[in-house]
Amino acid sequence: MRLVTLDDFRDTFFKGKQRGWDFILSKFNLSNSERTKSAFNSSASISANWWEIPYVKKRWNKLITNDEHQNYKQYLVAEALKDASNLKLLSLGSGTCSHEIELAQYDNFEKITCLDLSEYRIAEAKKTAKQKQLNNIEFICSNIDDFNFKDDHYDVVLFNASLHHFKNVDALLSKKIRPCLNTSGLLVINEYVGPNRLQFSRLQIQKINEGLRLIPKTFRKRYKSSSYKNSFSGSGLLRMVIADPSECVDSASIIPSIHKHFDRVVEKPYGGNILMNVLKDISHHFIDLNDEKKKALDALFEFEDDYLKNNPSDFIFGIYKKPNQ
């Protein structure tokens, strides 16, 4: 465990430039929930993260669905929910609900319920759903502890990049999620499942730095900065807790807890161990590709694939069902 690292100081500085110094000041609020909310305020959409790169998304699709043009929602509806109708889906930590709004456009769903702590994100989701004239989706701004989980009620419970924000994952899955699913209900995750608080091993940090050197210097200039990203030292525990007390608080328990309480239907690792940290703050260079940029990403993909041969994936897409009683 690392209490403080060099990246803590660098990332704080660059985060201030990217998201504004008011965002940094919000991290000194004594309320854990308020600091968590601030991590997902309006400035969160202005960033340079790996998930924004279309070529990376195609890689995920290929690894999850075997088709770079089919995302996991399309796969879920076409395969796991084929011919199903009148479905009730609950999404916890839904954010701006882009994935849920996409699912709501399928006739399979009678009602999709989205729950999130951020008033800003829920407001954005409501606006988008209204523009798309969707009537089968509802939005609730609430803490999970205040939500009424009805027993045997839902056909699908979805966690999209949100389960790693919940503490005591085992209790959540066993006492709230499993009981609220009906007999044939499915748990669906698209999640970071790596080390708690992003406390990567020395080997992984070493490999991330090797991966960073695969990127030509011209594409390592940081977002909204004249500085270059030349090294990676990881996150310290102190900054993780201050910045967002919920971030990766119990992420390492996700897969063991799911395997304990559910049966696997589909489980697809798609890496991220190297890409997430190499591309952080420099992803904006790769939104639009030329031959040189594509070559650099292909080399990075190959490097991560080689790493994954002997190391568990930090990101997983999975579909799980309640075990037979």
Side-chain angles (χ1 to χ4, degrees):
M1 294 288 187
R2 300 174 297 276
L3 185 61
V4 178
T5 73
L6 180 59
D7 273 352
D8 292 338
F9 298 98
R10 288 190 292 214
D11 286 357
T12 298
F13 174 75
F14 291 118
K15 193 71 72 177
K17 290 177 69 68
Q18 294 165 7
R19 297 184 62 174
W21 293 104
D22 286 344
F23 169 76
I24 300 299
L25 291 175
S26 72
K27 296 306 175 183
F28 294 94
N29 193 306
L30 295 179
S31 167
N32 284 353
S33 63
E34 290 302 318
R35 297 206 307 277
T36 296
K37 285 181 185 179
S38 74
F40 303 102
N41 65 17
S42 59
S43 68
S45 60
I46 307 171
S47 60
N49 289 298
W50 69 310
W51 59 76
E52 298 172 342
I53 302 174
Y55 198 48
V56 168
K57 292 180 182 179
K58 286 185 176 182
R59 169 180 166 82
W60 297 344
N61 291 345
K62 182 69 174 177
L63 291 173
I64 294 171
T65 73
N66 296 319
D67 181 349
E68 66 177 24
H69 301 295
Q70 182 185 51
N71 65 37
Y72 85 79
K73 282 88 63 180
Q74 295 165 330
Y75 173 85
L76 175 66
V77 172
E79 300 295 332
L81 303 178
K82 185 177 181 181
D83 300 326
S85 60
N86 301 316
L87 298 175
K88 296 180 179 67
L89 181 148
L90 172 65
S91 176
L92 297 169
S94 52
T96 54
C97 308
S98 60
H99 304 279
E100 296 78 7
I101 287 171
E102 181 178 342
L103 287 169
Q105 295 174 70
Y106 289 96
D107 295 334
N108 306 66
F109 297 96
E110 174 187 333
K111 175 69 73 174
I112 292 178
T113 301
C114 300
L115 183 76
D116 197 87
L117 191 63
S118 169
E119 295 177 1
Y120 166 78
R121 291 196 159 196
I122 287 293
E124 287 295 301
K126 286 181 178 179
K127 186 187 302 182
T128 302
K130 185 177 181 180
Q131 290 171 347
K132 293 182 178 292
Q133 298 182 321
L134 296 173
N135 299 313
N136 62 339
I137 186 167
E138 64 177 351
F139 307 96
I140 301 173
C141 185
S142 172
N143 189 300
I144 190 173
D145 293 329
D146 299 324
F147 182 72
N148 179 26
F149 287 87
K150 301 176 183 178
D151 287 351
D152 302 310
H153 185 71
Y154 295 101
D155 301 282
V156 182
V157 172
L158 171 66
F159 289 96
N160 184 90
S162 58
L163 185 52
H164 69 271
H165 285 280
F166 291 98
K167 60 184 179 181
N168 202 344
V169 168
D170 190 89
L172 171 63
L173 293 175
S174 62
K175 296 180 180 180
K176 293 184 183 294
I177 305 307
R178 183 168 160 173
C180 82
L181 283 167
N182 58 35
T183 305
S184 58
L186 298 174
L187 167 65
V188 179
I189 69 164
N190 180 42
E191 277 296 334
Y192 169 80
V193 297
N196 292 352
R197 302 295 192 189
L198 303 180
Q199 295 301 292
F200 303 119
S201 68
R202 289 184 180 180
L203 173 63
Q204 187 168 347
I205 290 176
Q206 174 190 328
K207 292 300 181 181
I208 291 166
N209 279 291
E210 290 179 22
L212 184 59
R213 290 193 286 272
L214 294 174
I215 305 296
K217 183 177 180 180
T218 187
F219 306 134
R220 284 191 273 114
K221 182 179 285 189
R222 294 178 185 264
Y223 183 59
K224 289 190 174 182
S225 170
S226 59
S227 300
Y228 290 88
K229 184 174 182 178
N230 296 316
S231 65
F232 173 83
S233 60
S235 299
L237 282 172
L238 184 60
R239 174 169 64 107
M240 292 294 297
V241 174
I242 291 175
D244 180 359
S246 75
E247 186 64 66
C248 308
V249 62
D250 196 24
S251 51
S253 296
I254 291 175
I255 293 302
S257 297
I258 288 177
H259 290 172
K260 178 180 176 182
H261 299 293
F262 295 86
D263 291 338
R264 270 176 278 193
V265 178
V266 172
E267 193 170 84
K268 298 293 185 86
Y270 61 97
N273 305 53
I274 308 299
L275 268 62
M276 176 175 69
N277 297 294
V278 167
L279 294 172
K280 179 183 177 183
D281 285 344
I282 63 172
S283 295
H284 59 293
H285 294 291
F286 300 97
I287 301 300
D288 298 312
L289 294 185
N290 57 26
D291 289 344
E292 187 180 9
K293 293 178 183 180
K294 183 176 181 297
K295 183 179 178 180
L297 286 183
D298 283 335
L300 192 60
F301 293 172
E302 185 177 352
F303 184 80
E304 179 171 272
D305 287 340
D306 187 62
Y307 177 84
L308 292 172
K309 290 176 182 177
N310 299 302
N311 297 277
S313 173
D314 278 350
F315 286 83
I316 295 283
F317 168 77
I319 303 173
Y320 308 88
K321 64 180 181 178
K322 295 172 72 170
N324 295 328
Q325 303 297 322

